[in-house]
């Protein structure tokens, strides 16, 4: 070999090992240490080229990580196209792989004579080496890489040289493993520092959030309403706070509710905003809502306000002075809890008032018993003066549509709660003392009929707008009854209003407002105080026909009804029933036979029409 035939001087050897140790102690990067090992080895041994190879992360090959004398082109070619595979190839297992797997040195006099080196013969010729010595780098009884030495001329590596190479390889392995350990230690220390800083930040955010929570609770216990709590939270977070109900209607805001201060929920047509709202509601979690690209604003925060396991509202934090951080997020969530408590307090108060109102209304509307003593005083305690006139309004959910309709109705309980909430919101906007309570499927309102109060019909229309805006999958109809001046008149007024609702909903109309002034002759029927007499009259006129239809599964009553609606035109009735005109004529003859009437008689027609009216009012078989 071109190297000195005698072993290097001991001082030089010790100095080389010491230099590697000093490099490790100086915490040099691994790449520099590997380059130093390769250069030191070549200098001590006099070999032409030297390389340090380490196992790749997948454990499938060895890559050159440090070298001396080798060209960058050779290193890149080996690493990219011809890495040392740690398994036998098509030409067998190469010397480097054998040395790594056996943990024993492997020497070749001439790589061109070894068929296992065929994949690297071309690059070896370009680099200009013939002989190779591969010595494993072993740490903790496991190989971590190789120390490869190459000579330009053919060279037989002596046992003494191999022992020396094993010695320096052992020292190199210690240096590499120490560097790895130091790197992992530094990484763990850095991660611990990062985690400690994160914990400090979280602790600080929690402490500040708790301070905000205590301040908001103080504001709440002082009797603050939703706008005051929203304003207090906005001062802390330096942003705009908006409180909405579950449907997106604004309940309170810390700023003037103008277009410039509208929350992102005003742009639900934006798919990003819509997706964020869905994520927050479904996941019961706080989400960040990206600001519009051209708005110049920072991202907003959105969290649901949950009461009794239901989303009762939404809380927005918009247009912050600076981007929201952990402290803001935690303060925001604490604010949602305080607002939930305020809304719960309001809900409980409304429920208590509703129960008290229901007791008063039940006493007023009970047709079987006179109002109890002291009802005037009980009503006065609820803010209602029964000495002035009041109008009875009734709101009732419409029945489910016919089978096959596209509209899907929610459950009855949810619909009824939604209707009651809609009535309460309408009354709050009017700011007039009125009583409202649920009574069966109905929501009853006693509205003052005095100067200065809006007309009852206007309240009914406002209520319909409220229902259309926020109802999901259901509609309701509203009846405006007569004005009552005496306590004894309320039961009759309620009966008239419910009769009007029955008429409207039986006709198939949905989301309708009806008042007794719209009913024409029907109003006379509704005002009969003994509906049993009406029922007896209708049964006497049409009962035989209904019984016949039920026994024979015929449609005589339906045909007679269609004939009257068609103004006694058999052809029009046939078209409405989708049958032949002769079928209508036959059925009408059968009707006259069963009822023993003559449909050509005006008196008979009036009686039959009147009987049908009664059935529609009372909801009987017709």
């Amino acid at each position: 070999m071109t190297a000195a035939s005698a072993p290097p001087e001991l001082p030089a050897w010790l100095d080389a090992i010491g230099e590697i140790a000093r490099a490790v102690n100086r915490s040099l990067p691994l790449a520099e240490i590997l380059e130093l090992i390769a250069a030191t080895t070549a200098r001590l041994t006099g070999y032409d080229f030297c390389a340090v190879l380490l196992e790749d992360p997948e454990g499938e090959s060895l890559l050159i990580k440090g070298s001396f004398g080798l060209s960058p082109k050779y290193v890149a070619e080996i690493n990219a196209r011809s890495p040392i595979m740690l398994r036998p190839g098509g030409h067998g297992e190469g010397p480097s792989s054998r040395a790594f797997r056996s943990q024993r040195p492997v020497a070749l006099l001439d790589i061109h004579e070894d068929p296992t080196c065929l994949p690297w013969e071309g690059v070896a010729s370009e680099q200009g080496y013939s002989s190779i010595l591969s010595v494993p780098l072993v740490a903790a009884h496991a190989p971590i890489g190789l120390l490869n030495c190459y000579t330009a001329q053919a060279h037989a590596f002596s046992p003494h040289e191999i022992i020396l190479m094993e010695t320096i390889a052992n020292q190199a392995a210690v240096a590499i493993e120490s560097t790895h350990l130091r790197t992992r230690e530094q990484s763990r220390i850095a991660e611990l520092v990062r985690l400690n800083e994160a914990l400090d930040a979280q602790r600080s955010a929690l402490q500040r959030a708790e301070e905000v929570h205590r301040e908001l609770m103080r504001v709440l216990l002082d009797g603050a309403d939703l706008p005051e709590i929203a304003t207090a939270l906005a001062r802390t977070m330096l942003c705009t706070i908006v409180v909405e109900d579950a449907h997106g209607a604004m309940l309170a805001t810390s700023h003037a509710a103008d277009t410039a201060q509208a929350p992102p929920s005003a742009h639900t047509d934006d798919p990003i905003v819509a997706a964020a709202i869905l994520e927050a509601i479904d996941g019961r979690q706080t989400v960040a809502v990206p600001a519009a690209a051209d708005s110049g604003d920072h991202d907003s925060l959105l969290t649901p306000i949950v009461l009794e396991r239901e989303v009762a509202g939404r809380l927005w934090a918009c247009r912050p002075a600076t981007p929201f951080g952990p402290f803001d997020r935690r303060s925001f969530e604490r604010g949602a809890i305080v607002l939930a408590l305020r809304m719960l307090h309001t809900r409980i108060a409304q429920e208590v008032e509703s129960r008290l109102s229901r007791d008063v209304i039940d006493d007023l509307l009970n047709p079987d018993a006179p109002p109890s003593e002291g009802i005037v005083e009980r009503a006065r305690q609820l803010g209602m003066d029964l000495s002035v006139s009041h109008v009875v309004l009734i709101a009732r959910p419409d029945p489910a549509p016919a089978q096959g309709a596209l509209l899907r109705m929610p459950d009855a309980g949810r619909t009824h709660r939604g209707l009651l909430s809609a009535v309460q919101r309408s009354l709050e906007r009017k700011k007039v003392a009125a009583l409202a309570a649920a009574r069966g499927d109905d929501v009853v309102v006693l509205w003052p009929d005095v100067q200065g109060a809006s007309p009852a019909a206007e309240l009914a229309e406002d209520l319909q707008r409220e229902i259309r805006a926020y109802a999901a999958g259901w509609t309701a109809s509203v009846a405006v009854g007569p004005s009552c001046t005496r306590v004894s008149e309320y039961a009759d007024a309620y009966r008239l209003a419910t009769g009007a609702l029955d008429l409207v909903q039986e006709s198939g109309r949905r989301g309708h407002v009806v008042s007794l002034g719209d009913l024409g002759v029907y109003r006379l029927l509704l005002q009969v105080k003994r509906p049993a007499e009406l029922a007896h009259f209708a049964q006497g006129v049409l009962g035989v026909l209904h019984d016949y239809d039920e026994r024979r599964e015929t449609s005589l009553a339906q045909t007679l009804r269609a004939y009257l609606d068609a103004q006694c035109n058999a052809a029009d009735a046939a078209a409405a029933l989708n049958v032949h005109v002769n079928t209508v004529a036959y059925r009408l003859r059968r009707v006259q036979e069963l009822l023993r009437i003559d449909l050509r008689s005006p008196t008979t027609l009036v009686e039959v029409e009147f009987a049908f009216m009664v059935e529609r009012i009372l909801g009987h078989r017709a």
Side-chain angles (χ1 to χ4, degrees), residues 454-465:
S454 302
E458 182 179 317
L459 172 65
E461 293 293 344
D462 181 75
L463 177 57
Q464 277 295 356
R465 287 191 293 271

Side-chain angles (χ1 to χ4, degrees), residues 49 64 70-71 73-79 81-84 111-112 117-130 150:
F49 314 104
I64 299 175
L70 298 174
S71 68
K73 179 181 178 182
Y74 173 84
V75 173
E77 182 75 16
I78 291 294
N79 288 342
R81 300 184 181 179
S82 305
I84 309 300
I111 66 170
H112 302 288
C117 296
L118 187 61
W120 302 282
E121 187 174 2
V123 292
S125 297
E126 291 181 11
Q127 182 60 49
Y129 63 83
S130 297
Y150 313 87

Side-chain angles (χ1 to χ4, degrees), residues 167-506:
T167 301
I168 195 170
N170 289 335
Q171 296 300 319
V174 172
I176 293 171
E177 187 66 12
S178 298
T179 303
H180 279 317
L181 291 173
R182 186 184 297 274
T183 301
R184 288 194 293 268
E185 180 183 3
Q186 290 174 343
S187 177
R188 284 195 292 267
I189 291 174
E191 178 65 15
L192 289 174
V193 170
R194 187 192 65 79
L195 290 175
N196 189 56
E197 291 175 349
L199 287 174
D200 287 342
Q202 290 180 5
R203 183 169 59 252
S204 176
L206 283 172
Q207 290 175 346
R208 296 176 63 191
E210 287 301 325
E211 293 174 0
V212 172
H213 182 69
R214 286 194 293 271
E215 174 62 19
L216 293 177
M217 286 298 297
R218 184 192 63 78
V219 173
L220 173 66
L221 295 175
D222 286 344
D225 55 13
L226 290 181
E228 291 172 323
I229 297 174
T231 300
L233 182 59
R235 283 197 303 265
T236 301
M237 298 179 61
L238 300 178
C239 67
T240 299
I241 294 294
V242 177
V243 185
E244 298 174 338
D245 65 13
H247 305 287
M250 185 180 294
L251 299 177
T253 178
S254 59
H255 293 72
D258 55 22
T259 304
Q261 300 294 343
S265 59
H267 307 286
T268 51
D269 54 339
D270 184 337
I272 296 178
V273 174
I277 293 176
L278 185 63
E279 179 184 357
I281 299 304
D282 288 349
R284 302 290 201 273
Q285 61 183 341
T286 301
V287 299
V289 183
D294 56 350
S295 66
D297 292 328
H298 301 294
D299 292 351
S300 301
L301 291 178
L302 167 65
T303 194
I305 301 174
V306 181
L307 285 181
E308 299 176 351
R309 299 183 181 180
E310 292 185 359
V311 175
R314 307 192 298 231
L315 179 62
W316 290 90
C318 319
R319 300 173 190 84
T322 58
F324 289 126
F327 156 69
D328 300 299
R329 195 180 187 97
R330 294 186 180 278
S331 299
F332 183 61
E333 292 169 347
R334 296 296 194 281
I337 295 174
V338 175
L339 287 165
L341 290 174
R342 184 64 181 87
M343 294 174 69
L344 179 61
H345 176 269
T346 301
R347 175 180 291 187
I348 292 174
Q350 289 175 341
E351 291 176 352
V352 171
E353 182 178 354
S354 178
R355 285 197 295 270
L356 295 174
S357 300
R358 185 173 63 243
D359 291 342
V360 171
I361 288 176
D362 282 344
D363 278 356
L364 282 175
L365 304 186
N366 186 356
D368 299 325
S372 62
E373 296 183 4
I375 191 171
V376 174
E377 176 60 24
R378 288 160 53 204
R380 187 191 64 78
Q381 292 175 355
L382 294 173
M384 180 181 178
D385 183 3
L386 288 179
S387 65
V388 302
S389 299
H390 285 77
V391 175
V392 177
L393 286 87
I394 303 175
R396 180 190 300 165
D398 291 320
Q403 187 175 5
L406 295 179
L407 186 63
R408 296 180 61 187
M409 298 290 289
D411 64 272
R414 182 178 177 185
T415 299
H416 196 261
R417 289 193 299 272
L419 178 59
L420 184 57
S421 297
V423 171
Q424 290 171 338
R425 287 195 297 269
S426 294
L427 294 178
E428 287 174 1
R429 283 198 300 271
K430 294 296 184 181
K431 299 185 182 303
V432 174
L435 286 189
R439 196 167 194 264
D441 292 335
D442 300 337
V443 175
V444 181
V445 179
L446 303 185
W447 182 253
D449 185 21
V450 296
Q451 186 175 7
S454 302
E458 182 179 317
L459 172 65
E461 293 293 344
D462 181 75
L463 177 57
Q464 277 295 356
R465 287 191 293 271
E466 186 78 22
I467 294 171
R468 286 192 292 269
Y470 301 114
W474 57 274
T475 60
S477 294
V478 182
V480 180
S483 179
C484 303
T485 57
R486 293 188 297 273
V487 169
S488 59
E489 296 175 348
Y490 284 94
D492 283 343
Y494 175 70
R495 178 172 52 81
L496 292 174
T498 54
L501 267 184
D502 292 339
L503 285 175
V504 168
Q505 294 185 332
E506 183 190 354

Side-chain angles (χ1 to χ4, degrees), residues 97-147:
S97 177
R98 294 200 302 271
F100 182 87
R101 286 159 53 87
S102 66
Q103 301 185 36
R104 302 288 296 175
V106 174
L108 290 180
L109 179 63
D110 188 349
I111 66 170
H112 302 288
E113 299 296 331
D114 190 329
T116 64
C117 296
L118 187 61
W120 302 282
E121 187 174 2
V123 292
S125 297
E126 291 181 11
Q127 182 60 49
Y129 63 83
S130 297
S131 301
I132 179 174
L133 173 61
S134 291
V135 182
L137 300 172
V138 181
H141 307 291
I144 60 175
L146 291 174
L147 180 59

